[in-house]
């Protein structure tokens, strides 16, 4: 059974940091392009960052550039999202997603597998 399980969310003050993890089971993570998306209450799910299978290339939404870093450890079957300088507008449920086909993509429909999400709340 394929599972993506996110962890590391929580409550943090503005300006603080969090590191999200996405642990994969039932699949070989190195075969997949991985991404993070987020969804705030009343809003559509939006792209945050993506990383190629090898981890060599990354792609960020404008809102994440310079503050967030996506990385992966294929040996541990885990993807990470380091979030620094957090703002209240970063408050959302964060999801990791896997895409079997090559190419960094920012549309949610281009990813086949999803985790259940982890809540990130940034207080002002």
């Amino acid at each position: 059974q394929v599972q993506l399980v996110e962890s590391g969310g929580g409550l943090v003050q503005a300006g603080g940091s969090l590191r999200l993890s996405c642990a994969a089971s039932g699949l070989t993570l190195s075969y997949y392009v991985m991404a993070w998306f987020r969804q705030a209450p009343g809003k559509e799910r939006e792209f945050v960052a993506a990383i190629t299978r090898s981890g060599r290339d990354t792609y960020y939404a404008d809102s994440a550039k310079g503050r967030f870093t996506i990385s992966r450890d294929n040996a541990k079957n885990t993807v990470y999202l380091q979030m620094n300088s957090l703002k209240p507008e970063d408050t959302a449920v964060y999801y990791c997603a896997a895409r079997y086909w090559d190419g960094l993509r920012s549309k949610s429909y281009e990813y086949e597998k999803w985790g259940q999400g982890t809540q990130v709340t940034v207080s002002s």
Side-chain angles (χ1 to χ4, degrees):
Q1 182 180 0
V2 174
Q3 276 193 310
L4 299 176
V5 180
E6 301 94 337
S7 62
L11 174 64
V12 64
Q13 288 188 331
S17 298
L18 282 174
R19 188 195 196 202
L20 306 184
S21 298
C22 172
S25 60
L27 60 81
T28 302
L29 202 68
S30 60
Y31 292 172
Y32 292 82
V33 170
M34 298 298 295
W36 287 93
F37 287 77
R38 67 187 183 184
Q39 188 166 18
K43 295 188 176 181
E44 292 187 355
R45 191 168 297 189
E46 66 174 5
F47 170 76
V48 176
I51 188 167
T52 52
R53 294 166 176 164
S54 67
R56 185 178 66 182
D57 295 311
T58 56
Y59 175 42
Y60 294 92
D62 287 344
S63 59
K65 286 178 183 176
R67 300 189 300 128
F68 294 2
T69 302
I70 188 171
S71 61
R72 65 192 298 161
D73 185 338
N74 287 338
K76 294 183 178 179
N77 246 23
T78 303
V79 178
Y80 305 96
L81 184 69
Q82 176 67 43
M83 304 188 295
N84 299 328
S85 302
L86 283 161
K87 305 174 182 179
E89 51 264 44
D90 294 319
T91 295
V93 176
Y94 283 71
Y95 300 89
C96 70
R99 168 184 165 84
Y100 183 76
W101 303 107
D102 204 3
L104 296 172
R105 298 289 187 268
S106 62
K107 304 297 184 184
S108 58
Y109 64 79
E110 294 177 294
Y111 291 81
E112 304 95 56
K113 305 185 188 304
W114 291 83
Q116 293 300 306
T118 185
Q119 176 70 48
V120 171
T121 303
V122 184
S123 63
S124 57

